[in-house]
Amino acid sequence: MKISIVIATYNRITELAELLESIHKQTVAPYEIIIVNDAGKTIAPLVDLYKEMPIKAIELVENVKHVHARNIGVSYVTGDVIMLCDDDDFLTENHIKQIQSELKTADFVYSDAEIVSFETKENIRYPLARRTFAYYYDLQAMREFSTYIPSGSAYKKELHDQIGLFDPEVHNYWDWDFFLRAAKVCRVKRMPVASVIYAFTENGNNQSADLTDKRKHYLDKLCEKHQLGDLPTKNFFVLLEEPEMKQREADTEIVWDGKPLRSRIVEQG
C-alpha cells in the first residue's frame, strides 16, 4: 500500500515544519509527500531540512486558494492511497500504521482528533487548551453537522475517478462536500483514536459580517448540492455544546502526550 500525503500550505512555515517532523517520526513511512505551496513564502529551505524524506514540493506562482491547491496536489499523486493533511495540524507517531491497517477493510478512513489551541514561541507551538473531537459515524447525522476532519484521513486514489476532485464552489465546506460524495460509493470507517492534533482557536462570535455572509453563501451552495435543507451558520464551539451533538459523542483513545514538537527549524536556530 503506497500512501501519498497531500498538503496545501500558505505561509505557515513553523506549523508545516511540525507536520513534517510528525511524519518523519511515523512508525510507518509514507510513499511520498506532496506539498503544494499556494504562492506563499518559499518552502525550499524547509524541504531541504528534511531532504531524506520523499517530498515533492510544488511552488505555485499564483495564489489559487486551498481547494484548488489540493486538487493540484492530487494530480501529482503516484501512490494508490491519498492521505490529506492540513499544514497546521500534526499526526501522532502510529497514525499512518493504524490507518493502513483500517484500510484493509474500508475504502475511506478518518480518525478522531484533539482540537488544540497553541501559542508560538521561538518556532515552537505550545498547547494552551485541548479537547477531544470524537463522534459516532452516522451518515444521516453528517447531513446536519459534519464531524469529518480531513487531516489524517485516507482513501483509495481511484475514488477521484468515481466522484471527481474537491469542489472549490463550496470553498469552506469542500471537506463536508467531499465526504458526502465519497460516502455514497465508499466503505467508510471511523478510527476511534485521537491521532490527529488539529489546530483550532476558539474566537467566539467575532467574525465580521462580510466573512459570515461569505460562509453562508458557501453553506447554501452545499445545501443545494446535497439537498440538506436550510442549515444555519453557527459558531463551531457553540454547535458542539448543543444536545444533538452531545448525543453523538463517542469514546476514543487519547494518544498524544501533550508535549510540543521540536522541528528541525528549531534545531537549526
Side-chain angles (χ1 to χ4, degrees):
M1 188 180 295
K2 296 179 179 179
I3 294 181
S4 301
I5 298 179
V6 174
I7 306 162
T9 190
Y10 179 74
N11 288 341
R12 284 176 171 167
I13 298 298
T14 295
E15 295 88 341
L16 180 60
E18 291 183 2
L19 171 57
L20 291 179
E21 184 67 27
S22 77
I23 295 171
H24 174 70
K25 293 179 181 297
Q26 291 294 302
T27 52
V28 171
Y31 171 68
E32 63 187 356
I33 304 161
I34 298 166
I35 308 175
V36 181
N37 181 15
D38 194 12
K41 181 180 178 182
T42 182
I43 59 171
L46 174 59
V47 172
D48 195 51
L49 289 177
Y50 289 90
K51 61 178 60 178
E52 80 278 18
M53 295 173 68
I55 298 174
K56 297 179 182 177
I58 297 104
E59 300 263 7
L60 302 182
V61 296
E62 178 186 354
N63 183 267
V64 299
K65 306 303 180 185
H66 62 96
V67 185
H68 278 300
R70 287 185 178 89
N71 285 335
I72 291 170
V74 165
S75 74
Y76 281 84
V77 167
T78 60
D80 49 21
V81 170
I82 295 173
M83 177 175 286
L84 304 174
C85 284
D86 286 352
D87 62 350
D88 59 343
D89 302 335
F90 60 84
L91 312 173
T92 56
E93 64 181 12
N94 285 315
H95 180 81
I96 293 179
K97 179 181 180 180
Q98 291 170 309
I99 287 284
Q100 196 174 57
S101 177
E102 297 292 348
L103 280 169
K104 294 175 182 177
T105 54
D107 306 304
F108 190 115
V109 178
Y110 69 101
S111 76
D112 295 335
E114 284 199 62
I115 299 177
V116 182
S117 59
F118 293 97
E119 66 173 350
T120 302
K121 296 179 181 178
E122 298 179 341
N123 289 323
I124 301 175
R125 288 188 301 170
Y126 295 88
L128 294 176
R130 53 196 283 204
R131 64 177 289 168
T132 304
F133 190 85
Y135 298 88
Y136 293 109
Y137 171 49
D138 179 336
L139 186 54
Q140 183 57 40
M142 291 283 273
R143 291 175 59 83
E144 298 175 15
F145 182 81
S146 175
T147 53
Y148 163 61
I149 287 182
S151 265
S153 67
Y155 55 89
K156 308 290 176 63
K157 177 186 175 182
E158 62 200 34
L159 175 61
H160 287 296
D161 296 329
Q162 295 176 269
I163 68 171
L165 294 171
F166 309 122
D167 185 0
E169 293 298 315
V170 294
H171 194 60
N172 303 78
Y173 301 97
W174 70 272
D175 50 346
W176 192 353
D177 167 68
F178 180 63
F179 186 89
L180 291 177
R181 287 189 286 139
K184 292 179 180 179
V185 299
C186 284
R187 295 172 298 167
V188 176
K189 182 182 288 188
R190 164 192 162 247
M191 190 172 79
V193 182
S195 51
V196 172
I197 307 307
Y198 183 75
F200 198 111
T201 301
E202 183 171 6
N203 58 3
N205 289 298
N206 296 325
Q207 292 183 339
S208 69
D210 182 56
L211 183 58
T212 300
D213 287 345
K214 286 182 179 179
R215 291 186 70 90
K216 177 61 174 170
H217 169 74
Y218 294 125
L219 181 60
D220 287 346
K221 279 184 170 289
L222 176 81
C223 291
E224 181 181 0
K225 184 174 182 179
H226 293 278
Q227 299 179 325
L228 304 180
D230 185 21
L231 297 179
T233 53
K234 291 185 180 180
N235 175 272
F236 177 73
F237 289 97
V238 170
L239 275 168
L240 295 187
E241 297 304 317
E242 292 188 347
E244 295 83 358
M245 291 304 300
K246 288 294 183 182
Q247 291 176 3
R248 291 173 62 184
E249 289 179 351
D251 292 333
T252 194
E253 181 182 358
I254 302 297
V255 289
W256 182 41
D257 61 11
K259 295 179 180 178
L261 278 176
R262 293 181 63 90
S263 71
R264 293 181 185 177
I265 61 172
V266 177
E267 305 304 328
Q268 185 189 44

